[in-house]
Amino acid sequence: MPAGKYGLFFTISADNNGQVILSKDHESWGSFFYDSSQDVLRAPIEIRTLPATEMLTFNFLNNTKNSTELVLDFEKKEFPVKIEFDVDKIVMENAKKELKGSTGFTWLGFASAANYALQNKTNLEQALAWSDQAVAQNNSFATLSLKSNILNQLGRNDEAEKIIKNAIGQATEIELNNYGYQLLNNGMQDKAIEIFKVNTQQHPKSANAWDSLGEGYFLKGDKKNAAVSFKKALTMNPAPNVKANSEKYLKQMGEM
């Protein structure tokens, strides 16, 4: 249906069935001058009964990612209209258009579009192509890890593993730490511990890196190594939040 302004009309029958009508005539007052030749859409609806509503009221109910229900309440009748959109298709088409303009001159535009597709598991081959363009403009942990995640989602795990190994060598302390927690949240405890270990090796004086390694061990059930890591973090004059976290776990384990 073409974009534009439309008038909204309803019909109702004795059996509580009805129709919602969109009309090209959006300027006429009420239904007094309704002209069916101006209709652009008619769809059946089932009228609902509700407690008396004095004022005409519009609401949006039952919202989901791809749909909502527009309801008009008046007197003792509710007129529901379900509205649906293919949100992923709309976003993907818009991204393609935007990336042909100024947005396409930065890696962030390509990375953002690829990440949306990854998170919503849609258009993954296109997402991979976008991630390649992001990497070409900014070869970094952010872009390489994005590409690796897309490859994993496509089932190309060997390629993904090679890329993430390359990415780890370029990662900052914060990026490694966040990646480790991402793995933990996905139930990949052993891989998370590997990443946390790398972070302590690359940043041996970081209390937060040792604290995160302690969490990795604790969640795996290795309390011995968890205690060693937390105690190591506490020797480094950690920030208050890091200190509180290490002490919390040590108390749970009876180590304090």
Side-chain angles (χ1 to χ4, degrees):
M1 187 172 65
K5 295 180 179 180
Y6 299 101
L8 179 66
F9 297 90
F10 293 92
T11 67
I12 182 172
S13 59
D15 62 357
N16 266 354
N17 288 317
Q19 288 185 316
V20 58
I21 303 167
L22 290 184
S23 169
K24 287 184 286 186
D25 183 4
H26 62 88
E27 296 180 336
S28 296
W29 180 261
S31 60
F32 299 103
F33 305 100
Y34 169 70
D35 180 357
S36 61
S37 68
Q38 299 297 301
D39 292 356
V40 293
L41 179 146
R42 277 177 171 260
I45 60 172
E46 185 175 334
I47 313 301
R48 297 194 286 246
T49 301
L50 74 164
T53 303
E54 184 176 349
M55 296 181 63
L56 175 63
T57 305
F58 288 90
N59 282 307
F60 290 95
L61 305 176
N62 304 317
N63 299 315
T64 70
K65 175 185 172 183
N66 292 302
S67 68
T68 188
E69 189 176 64
L70 166 66
V71 295
L72 180 153
D73 295 343
F74 185 60
E75 292 190 346
K76 294 185 178 182
K77 299 295 180 184
E78 183 170 79
F79 300 79
V81 181
K82 189 168 185 179
I83 303 171
E84 294 181 297
F85 297 96
D86 187 341
V87 172
D88 288 340
K89 182 178 180 181
I90 293 170
V91 173
M92 288 295 98
E93 289 180 353
N94 183 67
K96 291 175 184 177
K97 184 187 302 183
E98 291 290 324
L99 289 171
K100 290 180 180 178
S102 59
T103 306
F105 286 95
T106 69
W107 68 271
L108 286 169
F110 289 105
S112 177
N115 189 58
Y116 177 90
L118 172 64
Q119 296 304 317
N120 291 278
K121 297 180 174 59
T122 184
N123 297 82
L124 291 174
E125 291 292 348
Q126 176 64 76
L128 183 60
W130 283 335
S131 72
D132 281 333
Q133 288 173 286
V135 170
Q137 294 184 22
N138 179 36
N139 189 306
S140 65
F141 179 83
T143 56
L144 290 170
S145 61
L146 173 62
K147 181 176 180 180
S148 176
N149 287 335
I150 294 170
L151 286 168
N152 273 323
Q153 193 64 48
L154 287 167
R156 295 161 61 177
N157 307 104
D158 290 342
E159 293 176 67
E161 186 67 21
K162 290 179 182 178
I163 289 173
I164 198 62
K165 285 181 178 179
N166 181 26
I168 288 168
Q170 303 181 45
T172 65
E173 178 188 344
I174 293 174
E175 287 172 332
L176 282 175
N177 197 62
N178 290 341
Y179 180 54
Y181 279 107
Q182 177 187 326
L183 293 171
L184 271 185
N185 291 334
N186 290 332
M188 304 170 70
Q189 295 171 347
D190 289 335
K191 284 194 174 183
I193 290 170
E194 287 179 21
I195 296 301
F196 290 141
K197 280 183 178 179
V198 169
N199 213 12
T200 60
Q201 291 164 2
Q202 294 184 3
H203 305 94
K205 296 182 180 181
S206 168
N208 190 56
W210 286 101
D211 176 76
S212 296
L213 178 58
E215 280 198 57
Y217 280 128
F218 181 86
L219 292 174
K220 187 184 177 183
D222 185 347
K223 293 184 179 181
K224 179 180 178 180
N225 280 314
V228 170
S229 298
F230 287 129
K231 289 177 181 179
K232 180 81 170 177
L234 291 176
T235 66
M236 298 179 176
N237 191 27
N241 63 314
V242 176
K243 180 180 179 182
N245 193 64
S246 292
E247 290 179 344
K248 178 188 75 173
Y249 281 106
L250 285 170
K251 288 175 183 176
Q252 288 183 31
M253 293 184 291
E255 295 287 338
M256 281 193 74

